[in-house]
Amino acid sequence: VTAAASAPIGVFDSGLGGLTVLRELLARLPNERFLYLGDTARLPYGSKSPETIRRYVEQNVDFLVKRGVKAVVVACNSASSALRPDDRWPVPVYEVIGPGTRAAVAATQSRRVAVFATRATVAGGAYAIRMRAAAPGITVVQEACPLLVPFVEEGMVDDPVTSEMVRRYMGGVLGGPGPEVDTLILGCTHYPLLEPLFRRLLGPGIALVDSGRSLSVEVAAEIAAGRLPAAPQGGPHPRVELLVTDVSDRTDELAARFLAPHRASPARLVDLG
Ligand code: DGL
């Protein structure tokens, strides 16, 4: 086993929401260790400019590479939107928009797909651009849902106010002329926690794509194919080291909620500078 194989996989997000992505990775990769960076000091990314988000992405990748990770997973959709096709990084970098796109293109029959995401992700149009490239003629309707992240952070995942808000956002993309949307992408780290609510409101006829879950399937396939070295069995526990750029008295509680049923080490404060 080489040193690179036993090195952790770095995962970063604007905050703790990306732990929903890490949860999927943990479920599919029982031997791997993870170094998670939550940039809580600068959250949210979803309301910031592409230039600022790009700068954050470069700093975060750089930080994780210096800590010796063997790959980086960009769990944040807004950050994934800031990656470019010609980017060259010192380690493999995986992001959530490609996998979410591929899952949605495979799922849709009506060829009309909705994307729910932050303002930054919607404004950049990365899901729409990539879906149209993969499946010419596909219709992509996007909806920025800036209010959902704070509600999820407050734990209001099963609440009539959140439900009403999701209903309103849905009003912008469902119905209308032409074929019906039959696939909806949850294009933000926090939305998987609202999956039961979405499911209830949408009924059984619309496929939900969780980009983080799709990404975890693709990373597991990369390891299975030997394109990313597999960790040896029986590493240290917990398998997640949690680093954040700001700590509050809610950090560990929120992390536990997003990562359940898995566990992380207590959050440790780091300086990206
Ligand atoms: N992690 C972000 C995303 O997936 C949501 C939170 C934020 O805006 O920073 O787009």
Side-chain angles (χ1 to χ4, degrees):
V1 175
T2 65
S6 59
I9 296 173
V11 179
F12 81 82
D13 178 42
S14 55
L16 300 173
L19 292 170
T20 61
V21 178
L22 180 52
R23 186 172 73 176
E24 300 292 336
L25 289 163
L26 284 163
R28 282 178 186 82
L29 297 166
N31 298 326
E32 299 296 331
R33 291 190 301 126
F34 297 90
L35 184 61
Y36 182 95
L37 172 65
D39 193 7
T40 43
R42 301 191 291 196
L43 173 110
Y45 284 9
S47 56
K48 297 201 167 67
S49 70
E51 295 74 23
T52 297
I53 298 173
R54 175 71 196 188
R55 187 156 46 83
Y56 293 173
V57 167
E58 288 175 4
Q59 283 174 343
N60 296 345
V61 172
D62 193 47
F63 174 88
L64 288 168
V65 167
K66 283 193 181 122
R67 298 256 167 163
V69 299
K70 66 182 174 188
V72 172
V73 169
V74 184
C76 178
N77 289 256
S78 308
S80 293
S81 302
L83 298 178
R84 304 175 192 128
D86 59 348
D87 278 335
R88 294 290 170 268
W89 308 99
V91 297
V93 171
Y94 301 97
E95 52 80 45
V96 285
I97 293 181
T101 297
R102 288 185 275 280
V105 167
T108 185
Q109 285 175 356
S110 70
R111 298 176 69 75
R112 195 175 176 91
V113 175
V115 180
F116 275 23
T118 63
R119 285 194 200 284
T121 301
V122 166
Y127 276 108
I129 292 165
R130 294 178 70 166
M131 254 183 289
R132 287 189 204 116
I138 204 165
T139 301
V140 182
V141 279
Q142 305 189 97
E143 184 75 20
C145 310
L147 292 171
L148 295 185
V149 165
F151 275 68
V152 171
E153 298 239 331
E154 289 304 326
M156 296 170 70
V157 295
D158 186 21
D159 187 284
V161 179
T162 315
S163 175
E164 180 52 32
M165 222 154 46
V166 171
R167 209 191 308 271
R168 271 203 216 185
Y169 285 136
M170 280 176 178
V173 297
L174 302 181
E180 294 282 331
V181 164
D182 69 351
T183 304
L184 190 149
I185 300 179
L186 301 173
C188 174
T189 46
H190 290 59
Y191 303 171
L193 293 166
L194 296 173
E195 195 173 328
L197 193 153
F198 272 97
R199 187 37 71 226
R200 209 163 52 235
L201 292 175
L202 288 170
I206 296 186
L208 281 174
V209 170
D210 174 341
S211 293
R213 193 174 300 149
S214 306
L215 161 117
S216 72
V217 171
E218 292 197 6
V219 172
E222 288 282 292
I223 291 177
R227 285 189 291 271
L228 188 64
Q233 281 188 340
H237 279 270
R239 293 193 286 138
V240 180
E241 197 183 335
L242 179 57
L243 308 176
V244 290
T245 52
D246 182 59
V247 182
S248 79
D249 51 8
R250 294 183 63 229
T251 302
D252 286 317
E253 181 233 312
L254 211 54
R257 183 140 42 83
F258 288 159
L259 197 56
H262 304 278
R263 289 186 30 235
S265 63
R268 203 150 50 79
L269 186 64
V270 293
D271 187 347
L272 297 181

